[in-house]
Amino acid sequence: MNSEWGTKFRLSVFGESHGAVIGVVVGGLPAGFAPDFDEVRRELLRRAPGRSENSTPRREGDEFEVLSGMLGGAATGAPLLAFCRNADARPGDYESHFPRPGHADYAAWVKYGAFNDCRGGGHFSGRLTAPVVFAGALAKQLLRERHGAGISAIVAEIHGERDPGKFDGAIQSARDAGDSAGGIIECRVRGAPAGWGEPIFHSVESELASLLFSIPAVKGVEFGDGFNFAKKLGGEVSDGLTVDEDGKIAFLANHNGGINGGITNGAEIVFRVVIKPTPTISAPQSTVDLRTNTPVTHSFRGRHDPCIVPRAVVVVEAAAAIALAQYL
Amino acid sequence: MNSEWGTKFRLSVFGESHGAVIGVVVGGLPAGFAPDFDEVRRELLRRAPGRSENSTPRREGDEFEVLSGMLGGAATGAPLLAFCRNADARPGDYESHFPRPGHADYAAWVKYGAFNDCRGGGHFSGRLTAPVVFAGALAKQLLRERHGAGISAIVAEIHGERDPGKFDGAIQSARDAGDSAGGIIECRVRGAPAGWGEPIFHSVESELASLLFSIPAVKGVEFGDGFNFAKKLGGEVSDGLTVDEDGKIAFLANHNGGINGGITNGAEIVFRVVIKPTPTISAPQSTVDLRTNTPVTHSFRGRHDPCIVPRAVVVVEAAAAIALAQYL
Amino acid sequence: MNSEWGTKFRLSVFGESHGAVIGVVVGGLPAGFAPDFDEVRRELLRRAPGRSENSTPRREGDEFEVLSGMLGGAATGAPLLAFCRNADARPGDYESHFPRPGHADYAAWVKYGAFNDCRGGGHFSGRLTAPVVFAGALAKQLLRERHGAGISAIVAEIHGERDPGKFDGAIQSARDAGDSAGGIIECRVRGAPAGWGEPIFHSVESELASLLFSIPAVKGVEFGDGFNFAKKLGGEVSDGLTVDEDGKIAFLANHNGGINGGITNGAEIVFRVVIKPTPTISAPQSTVDLRTNTPVTHSFRGRHDPCIVPRAVVVVEAAAAIALAQYL
Amino acid sequence: MNSEWGTKFRLSVFGESHGAVIGVVVGGLPAGFAPDFDEVRRELLRRAPGRSENSTPRREGDEFEVLSGMLGGAATGAPLLAFCRNADARPGDYESHFPRPGHADYAAWVKYGAFNDCRGGGHFSGRLTAPVVFAGALAKQLLRERHGAGISAIVAEIHGERDPGKFDGAIQSARDAGDSAGGIIECRVRGAPAGWGEPIFHSVESELASLLFSIPAVKGVEFGDGFNFAKKLGGEVSDGLTVDEDGKIAFLANHNGGINGGITNGAEIVFRVVIKPTPTISAPQSTVDLRTNTPVTHSFRGRHDPCIVPRAVVVVEAAAAIALAQYL
């Protein structure tokens, strides 16, 4: 497996859901950068489960120790190790010979054979987004420090509902039905300067999408008007240019989500990702007993969220921050 | 600019819309691979403009010469150079001090200054998709030869129309209005084996999206049910497993588009991309005179498609083929 | 800092000499690979200090814990974390405002400013070769398992002495003089098949040298006859081909050290590296007080080897193993 | 084959000795950079054969056309294509079933089979150093422009002779004997600032060596005192620091060749490479007839230099320039 990403701000993620540890080595931090670790902790709490009745009761305890790369509160320039021992792991909760529909179990079994650690998803687990959030929190601080850039995402839709007042109800309904609900997250980046990205390959969209599609359950990414462009004429979606009061070039609209020709144009970067419903539900599902190669119907147990969309918001922000930190 | 992509099947694209040449160096071809260049030419024709009244009248003449890496009809293993001299270039058609809304002009001006070649988009031009189609045609042949894999895309929607019988009319309407129309392309890959891709970073979705977002005008990518997942419950989109008549594990549904946990599961890979309407239209648009930093209204001239969606179909296939050729 | 290396068998090294930990994340291990960790430990002991009166008395205690990527004795395919808490660290032994001649102190001070962790060399320390030896021990086992390949290095020269019987004396003399001695290590790889490497860039020599020059104190690398080629005629160093008793193509000589045109030819790979004398010695040295920008003469204290050549042998083997593991 | 190198200043080399073309795509040139192509041509002439009676009579005609990436004399930021049609190619001069000792022929035959283009070495040919010199000439200009840095190499030794007055005689002797002579090239880089490179992996030495070992016939690389360090005590090779008249930190010696801990220290970078004698000589050599797998004695014909060391000087400078251009 290749669990490394980035050329300038770099991550190497390790660990398993029900293994001993999870963590990340972050490379490329500038010497002298003094992270606010309280803020990092708050970001991790936004992702943590167990905060409401609507998320998994597992207490993950995302207490990361920083064990290298820092001296006297400042980054030295050397790789930073963030390291977390798993608490509350229950390796026995999963049966590996019944691949869970919609999960990586079957694909991983083909690829890695019986050696794959499928306890709770192992290295594929959504739990591995915790080190990504850790690294993303650092990237966010760097973007803010260097460019005043801010990244914030919100839940835009849950199970077809777009009214935030109805999100809890939609999740509760899914929960009551022993089912799970999907949704959409919208993210905006303010303050990114014009000029980031490359034409053709390595467009800003390519880089952002590469990381966003690394988040488990993300199945679509769109920028600006996204899939709605398919219903539009060019004249309806023209982002005309103008000169603002300060004499700066500005845009009269932002259908393109702040990116033209793969390069940021200085307008707000806007994108949306769709999160599929958690595939583990209480209803019995069709699967195969890998020991006997026979179809079976199986009820999967375990501790799961009826809707991971709210917890994924900070993960989406983290992924965006890491992708954009390549341009610092 | 970084116009290289890939780790195993590698591209280095060069050239400009109205410069002397366009082309590509393809690295990583296996020695002994004997490409069918007639098929490559047919693929290039699918992208070529001027084939119908609905596309730009420019005659691009995509006649690529293969000048290295081949001996006696077979690849030697050394880099293959595909090289095309531009014909019918009209450098004078464009005025560089009026950035075209929705194009890369302004972002490129910020990034590269007055040195950017903005004649017809220069290196940002859609014309640079021709070398991508060339390389993609080779990748397709390799995928077919090694795995019997086939890639085919279709136009799924144009300006809100989903009935193929009405596509021409939709384009004609846009043309008549001096406007342009967007649309959606759907692509399917049959025969890709289970086990391609990586968990977390470098998922198959990440790699495909990285290349798909390199195609000019692509503003969204979704896999399987994509953004429709936001309206679904987990129980509605469960891809149950079974055992088929030949004793092979198969899926009862394919909401996930052939990919779980970032890794192919052996089912058909299905994805859709949205193509925004060509931003150059005949109506006057708001822009800025970069010489004087003043807002102006300008009518842009040039030769343009009212709808590039049909021509982009083969580009989408090429991008998919190149991304998947990393796993050969 | 970029402390990552490799595309297939990948390392991400972290930690500092006098920080909390050192360690490495190893990516790309094949699922099912069952490392012999006793052998890994023996390799680490070959590098460890304090084994003889001729090496530094520091007790480093290279006890690595493996905390991810393994299940039931076999690699899962996920990243392996090897992690070691530093014992016996004495941060107070070093004075950072006097850059030690021949060490990275001054260059690092220019690059990272006052934020550099220069306690005992920090991330630059030779202690960071321990995680490299750990990873190299895994790479060695993989090379043996897959190809029967074996890597072994020896001390070829110490302070001009080429007779192994005189090495201890040479080291003792340097020690008695409060000085340090350099030397040469020769390494041989048996069993590497023909066909590894690339012409031009990424030759096997390039890849091996890239890692060998990552070992602190290595200042030269030569393959086969190396610098002696400068004194030879072509006719004297012709590696003629023949057919051996088993009908296999073999070589009548091996002046090229098993590599032609950047690619292994199936003969033994032979190379030599030179290790400079440890720069920290007991005699006072000329340096600069960085606080006042004035030249000073300073006697540096600390615990140091009079000759690191014997301990570097296993590091050279490890570097070679990691470089060659890219071809598995 | 992977004939690409670099992350910031990037090359993709293509072509064959006796194919249609050779050339290079250079990526990463800064927009606005205005190369002096007359100087590039002079650099190419330094490498060109046929200038004296001591080099191969082949007229290579290294006339590169620049076909993309330039507009009005300045780089646009897009990839630059330098392209040269081969003249005077004589494909019939070589017999591919007799691998030449010391050449890549046999290794390439194992790796690429009968598909390898072995006419004159094909893609392995020393002729492929011409595009490297082209790219290196651009890199040199950039280094001079940005840092006032200058790179110059000299022949330091030919067939054991270190007196430049005797180089021609040494070459003539080898020529008269139908043999070839090896030698050493010494290169110095003035003006490189302190702070380039990385500790551990990706040291400046690693990056330089990676490219230097890409030059055909280079079999050794050493920095500063290099292999002589093996005969020295630490006290003899201490590069003490001081403060010069301008109040700048300087070094009292430069045994380390301008690099400490993998990072430039601001002193002159000094390194040496050894060039083995050209393996093709007029005397009959032992080889194998690959058609029948039988040993034979064969006299190889062709046009060859008795000593390529003088022509390699500019190639060494080019490789150094390209490696160091990664830090611009």
Side-chain angles (χ1 to χ4, degrees):
Chain A
M1 301 180 195
N2 183 331
S3 301
E4 296 119 56
W5 202 90
T7 54
K8 197 160 174 189
F9 183 101
R10 299 180 305 276
L11 282 74
S12 180
V13 168
F14 58 84
E16 289 89 15
S17 179
H18 291 258
V21 300
I22 59 169
V24 60
V25 179
V26 182
L29 291 177
F33 168 55
D36 177 344
F37 285 112
D38 285 332
E39 188 179 311
V40 174
R41 247 169 255 124
R42 287 194 298 273
E43 292 286 273
L44 285 163
L45 276 175
R46 293 174 63 198
R47 194 210 71 90
R51 290 174 301 148
S52 81
E53 59 173 328
N54 278 336
S55 72
T56 165
R58 177 175 175 189
R59 301 295 301 271
E60 295 191 344
D62 297 336
E63 299 289 334
F64 282 87
E65 280 184 276
V66 174
L67 294 173
S68 71
M70 296 288 301
L71 190 63
T76 62
L80 181 153
L81 171 68
F83 178 86
C84 173
R85 294 208 179 255
N86 281 327
D88 196 24
R90 302 187 193 171
D93 272 12
Y94 299 86
E95 291 153 304
S96 64
H97 42 274
F98 295 142
R100 295 166 295 166
H103 273 289
D105 299 350
Y106 172 68
W109 178 77
V110 172
K111 190 176 182 83
Y112 305 107
F115 303 107
N116 185 48
D117 178 354
C118 53
R119 301 168 303 167
H123 190 60
F124 288 80
S125 166
R127 175 143 175 72
L128 270 289
T129 58
V132 172
V133 169
F134 183 99
L138 299 183
K140 265 186 197 178
Q141 293 184 23
L142 277 169
L143 289 161
R144 191 173 60 217
E145 214 173 279
R146 302 292 157 99
H147 291 283
I151 300 178
S152 69
I154 55 162
V155 176
E157 185 173 330
I158 287 183
H159 193 222
E161 283 295 349
R162 298 185 184 184
D163 174 356
K166 298 183 177 167
F167 291 164
D168 275 353
I171 297 172
Q172 194 58 48
S173 298
R175 182 189 193 80
D176 292 346
D179 213 323
S180 61
I184 291 173
I185 291 168
E186 183 171 297
C187 186
R188 289 166 183 273
V189 184
R190 285 168 307 281
W196 285 355
E198 302 283 325
I200 313 186
F201 313 129
H202 315 295
S203 70
V204 171
E205 289 126 324
S206 294
E207 299 299 301
L208 282 164
S210 169
L211 261 185
L212 293 166
F213 277 119
S214 302
I215 304 172
V218 166
K219 297 296 282 189
V221 173
E222 60 179 9
F223 293 86
D225 285 10
F227 279 88
N228 276 330
F229 273 122
K231 299 178 174 28
K232 299 291 178 60
L233 294 176
E236 297 172 291
V237 293
S238 174
D239 293 340
L241 289 89
T242 188
V243 176
D244 71 13
E245 294 173 357
D246 302 330
K248 288 187 186 151
I249 290 174
F251 292 90
L252 296 163
N254 189 16
H255 297 283
N256 283 285
I259 302 168
N260 289 131
I263 298 179
T264 55
N265 62 19
E268 197 173 53
I269 301 174
V270 185
F271 64 87
R272 290 153 57 95
V273 303
V274 63
I275 309 279
K276 72 173 183 175
T278 324
T280 306
I281 54 180
S282 62
Q285 295 185 74
S286 299
T287 186
V288 168
D289 187 330
L290 294 174
R291 297 166 301 183
T292 57
N293 205 45
T294 48
V296 294
T297 299
H298 188 76
S299 295
F300 292 92
R301 263 176 294 262
R303 299 160 295 178
H304 296 282
D305 282 336
C307 184
I308 57 169
V309 181
R311 290 177 58 205
V313 169
V314 68
V315 185
V316 166
E317 292 177 2
I322 293 164
L324 296 176
Q326 308 304 315
Y327 304 109
L328 291 178
Chain B
M1 300 182 196
N2 183 331
S3 301
E4 296 119 55
W5 201 90
T7 54
K8 196 159 176 191
F9 183 101
R10 298 180 306 275
L11 283 74
S12 179
V13 167
F14 58 83
E16 290 88 16
S17 178
H18 290 259
V21 300
I22 58 170
V24 60
V25 179
V26 182
L29 291 177
F33 167 54
D36 177 344
F37 285 111
D38 285 333
E39 188 179 311
V40 174
R41 247 169 253 124
R42 287 193 299 272
E43 292 285 275
L44 285 163
L45 276 175
R46 293 174 64 198
R47 195 209 70 90
R51 290 174 302 148
S52 82
E53 58 173 328
N54 278 338
S55 74
T56 165
R58 176 174 176 189
R59 302 294 303 270
E60 295 191 344
D62 297 336
E63 299 289 333
F64 282 86
E65 280 184 276
V66 174
L67 294 173
S68 72
M70 296 287 301
L71 189 64
T76 62
L80 181 153
L81 171 69
F83 178 87
C84 173
R85 295 209 178 253
N86 281 328
D88 196 24
R90 302 189 191 169
D93 271 13
Y94 298 86
E95 291 154 304
S96 65
H97 42 273
F98 295 142
R100 295 166 296 166
H103 273 289
D105 299 353
Y106 172 70
W109 178 77
V110 171
K111 191 176 182 81
Y112 305 107
F115 303 106
N116 184 49
D117 179 354
C118 52
R119 303 168 302 166
H123 190 61
F124 288 80
S125 166
R127 176 143 175 72
L128 269 291
T129 57
V132 172
V133 168
F134 183 99
L138 299 183
K140 265 186 197 177
Q141 293 184 23
L142 277 169
L143 288 161
R144 192 172 60 216
E145 214 173 278
R146 302 289 159 101
H147 291 283
I151 300 179
S152 70
I154 55 163
V155 176
E157 185 172 331
I158 287 183
H159 193 221
E161 283 294 348
R162 298 186 183 182
D163 174 356
K166 297 183 177 167
F167 290 165
D168 275 352
I171 297 173
Q172 194 57 49
S173 298
R175 182 189 194 79
D176 292 346
D179 213 323
S180 62
I184 290 172
I185 291 168
E186 182 172 298
C187 185
R188 288 166 184 273
V189 184
R190 285 169 307 281
W196 285 354
E198 302 283 326
I200 313 186
F201 313 130
H202 315 298
S203 70
V204 172
E205 288 126 324
S206 293
E207 299 299 301
L208 282 164
S210 168
L211 261 184
L212 293 166
F213 277 119
S214 301
I215 304 172
V218 166
K219 298 296 282 188
V221 173
E222 60 179 8
F223 293 86
D225 285 10
F227 279 89
N228 275 330
F229 273 122
K231 298 177 174 31
K232 300 292 178 58
L233 294 176
E236 297 172 288
V237 293
S238 174
D239 292 340
L241 290 89
T242 187
V243 176
D244 71 12
E245 295 172 357
D246 302 330
K248 288 184 187 154
I249 290 173
F251 292 90
L252 296 163
N254 188 16
H255 297 282
N256 284 284
I259 302 168
N260 291 130
I263 298 180
T264 55
N265 62 19
E268 198 173 52
I269 301 173
V270 184
F271 64 87
R272 291 151 57 95
V273 303
V274 62
I275 308 279
K276 71 173 183 174
T278 325
T280 306
I281 54 182
S282 62
Q285 295 186 72
S286 299
T287 186
V288 167
D289 187 330
L290 294 174
R291 298 167 301 186
T292 58
N293 205 44
T294 49
V296 295
T297 299
H298 188 75
S299 295
F300 292 92
R301 263 176 293 264
R303 299 160 297 179
H304 297 283
D305 283 337
C307 184
I308 57 168
V309 181
R311 290 177 59 204
V313 169
V314 68
V315 184
V316 167
E317 292 176 4
I322 293 164
L324 297 176
Q326 307 306 316
Y327 304 109
L328 291 178
Chain C
M1 300 181 195
N2 184 332
S3 302
E4 296 119 55
W5 202 88
T7 56
K8 198 160 173 189
F9 183 101
R10 298 181 305 277
L11 282 75
S12 179
V13 168
F14 57 83
E16 289 88 16
S17 178
H18 290 259
V21 299
I22 58 169
V24 59
V25 179
V26 182
L29 290 177
F33 167 54
D36 177 345
F37 285 111
D38 285 332
E39 188 179 311
V40 174
R41 245 169 255 125
R42 286 193 299 272
E43 292 286 273
L44 285 162
L45 276 176
R46 292 174 64 198
R47 193 209 72 90
R51 290 173 301 147
S52 82
E53 59 174 326
N54 278 337
S55 72
T56 166
R58 177 174 175 190
R59 301 293 303 272
E60 294 192 343
D62 297 337
E63 299 289 333
F64 283 87
E65 281 184 275
V66 173
L67 294 173
S68 71
M70 296 288 301
L71 190 63
T76 63
L80 181 153
L81 172 68
F83 177 87
C84 173
R85 294 209 179 253
N86 282 328
D88 196 24
R90 302 190 193 167
D93 271 11
Y94 298 85
E95 290 154 304
S96 64
H97 41 274
F98 295 142
R100 294 167 296 166
H103 272 291
D105 298 353
Y106 172 69
W109 178 76
V110 172
K111 190 176 182 82
Y112 305 107
F115 303 107
N116 185 49
D117 179 353
C118 53
R119 301 169 303 167
H123 190 60
F124 288 79
S125 166
R127 176 145 174 72
L128 269 291
T129 57
V132 172
V133 169
F134 183 99
L138 299 183
K140 265 186 198 178
Q141 293 184 23
L142 277 169
L143 288 161
R144 192 173 59 216
E145 214 174 279
R146 301 293 156 98
H147 291 283
I151 299 178
S152 69
I154 55 162
V155 176
E157 184 173 331
I158 286 183
H159 194 222
E161 283 294 349
R162 298 186 184 183
D163 173 355
K166 299 184 176 166
F167 291 165
D168 275 352
I171 297 173
Q172 192 58 47
S173 298
R175 181 189 195 80
D176 292 346
D179 212 324
S180 61
I184 291 174
I185 291 168
E186 182 172 298
C187 185
R188 290 167 182 273
V189 184
R190 285 168 307 280
W196 285 355
E198 301 283 324
I200 313 185
F201 312 130
H202 315 296
S203 69
V204 171
E205 287 127 325
S206 294
E207 299 300 302
L208 282 165
S210 168
L211 261 184
L212 292 167
F213 278 119
S214 302
I215 303 172
V218 167
K219 298 297 281 189
V221 173
E222 60 179 8
F223 292 87
D225 285 9
F227 279 89
N228 276 329
F229 274 122
K231 299 178 173 30
K232 300 290 177 62
L233 294 177
E236 298 171 289
V237 293
S238 174
D239 292 340
L241 291 89
T242 187
V243 176
D244 70 12
E245 295 173 357
D246 303 329
K248 287 186 188 154
I249 290 173
F251 292 90
L252 296 163
N254 189 17
H255 297 281
N256 284 284
I259 303 168
N260 290 131
I263 298 180
T264 54
N265 63 18
E268 199 174 51
I269 301 173
V270 184
F271 63 87
R272 290 152 56 94
V273 304
V274 63
I275 309 279
K276 70 172 184 176
T278 324
T280 305
I281 54 181
S282 63
Q285 294 185 74
S286 299
T287 185
V288 168
D289 186 329
L290 294 174
R291 297 167 301 185
T292 57
N293 206 46
T294 47
V296 294
T297 299
H298 188 76
S299 295
F300 292 92
R301 264 176 293 263
R303 299 160 296 178
H304 297 282
D305 282 336
C307 183
I308 57 169
V309 180
R311 291 176 58 204
V313 169
V314 67
V315 185
V316 166
E317 292 177 3
I322 293 165
L324 296 175
Q326 308 304 316
Y327 304 109
L328 291 178
Chain D
M1 299 182 197
N2 183 333
S3 301
E4 296 120 55
W5 202 88
T7 55
K8 196 160 175 190
F9 182 101
R10 297 180 306 275
L11 283 74
S12 178
V13 168
F14 57 84
E16 288 89 16
S17 178
H18 290 259
V21 300
I22 58 169
V24 60
V25 179
V26 182
L29 291 177
F33 167 54
D36 177 345
F37 285 111
D38 285 333
E39 187 178 312
V40 174
R41 246 169 255 125
R42 287 193 299 272
E43 292 285 274
L44 285 163
L45 276 175
R46 293 174 64 198
R47 194 209 70 91
R51 290 174 303 147
S52 81
E53 58 173 328
N54 278 335
S55 74
T56 166
R58 177 175 176 189
R59 301 294 303 271
E60 294 192 345
D62 296 336
E63 299 288 333
F64 282 87
E65 281 184 275
V66 173
L67 293 173
S68 71
M70 296 287 302
L71 191 63
T76 63
L80 181 153
L81 172 68
F83 178 86
C84 173
R85 294 209 179 254
N86 282 327
D88 196 23
R90 302 188 192 168
D93 270 13
Y94 298 87
E95 291 155 303
S96 64
H97 42 273
F98 294 141
R100 295 167 296 166
H103 272 291
D105 298 352
Y106 172 69
W109 178 77
V110 172
K111 190 175 181 81
Y112 305 108
F115 303 107
N116 185 49
D117 179 354
C118 52
R119 302 169 303 168
H123 189 60
F124 288 79
S125 168
R127 176 145 174 70
L128 269 291
T129 57
V132 172
V133 169
F134 183 99
L138 299 182
K140 265 186 200 178
Q141 294 184 22
L142 277 169
L143 288 161
R144 193 173 58 217
E145 214 173 279
R146 301 292 158 99
H147 291 284
I151 299 178
S152 69
I154 55 162
V155 176
E157 184 172 332
I158 287 184
H159 193 221
E161 283 294 350
R162 296 185 184 184
D163 174 355
K166 298 184 176 165
F167 291 164
D168 275 352
I171 297 173
Q172 193 58 46
S173 298
R175 181 189 195 79
D176 292 346
D179 213 322
S180 60
I184 290 173
I185 291 168
E186 183 172 298
C187 185
R188 289 167 182 272
V189 183
R190 285 169 306 281
W196 284 356
E198 302 284 325
I200 312 187
F201 313 130
H202 315 297
S203 69
V204 171
E205 288 126 324
S206 293
E207 299 300 300
L208 282 164
S210 168
L211 261 184
L212 292 166
F213 278 119
S214 302
I215 304 172
V218 167
K219 297 296 281 189
V221 173
E222 60 178 9
F223 293 85
D225 284 10
F227 279 89
N228 276 330
F229 274 121
K231 299 177 174 27
K232 300 290 178 60
L233 295 177
E236 298 172 289
V237 294
S238 174
D239 293 339
L241 289 89
T242 188
V243 176
D244 70 12
E245 295 173 356
D246 302 330
K248 287 185 188 155
I249 290 174
F251 291 90
L252 296 164
N254 189 16
H255 297 281
N256 284 283
I259 303 168
N260 289 131
I263 299 181
T264 54
N265 63 18
E268 199 174 50
I269 302 172
V270 184
F271 63 88
R272 291 151 56 94
V273 302
V274 62
I275 309 279
K276 70 174 183 174
T278 325
T280 306
I281 55 182
S282 63
Q285 295 185 74
S286 298
T287 185
V288 167
D289 187 330
L290 294 174
R291 296 167 302 185
T292 57
N293 206 44
T294 49
V296 295
T297 300
H298 188 76
S299 295
F300 292 92
R301 263 177 294 262
R303 298 162 296 179
H304 297 283
D305 282 337
C307 184
I308 57 170
V309 180
R311 290 177 59 205
V313 169
V314 68
V315 185
V316 166
E317 292 177 4
I322 293 165
L324 296 176
Q326 307 305 317
Y327 304 109
L328 292 177

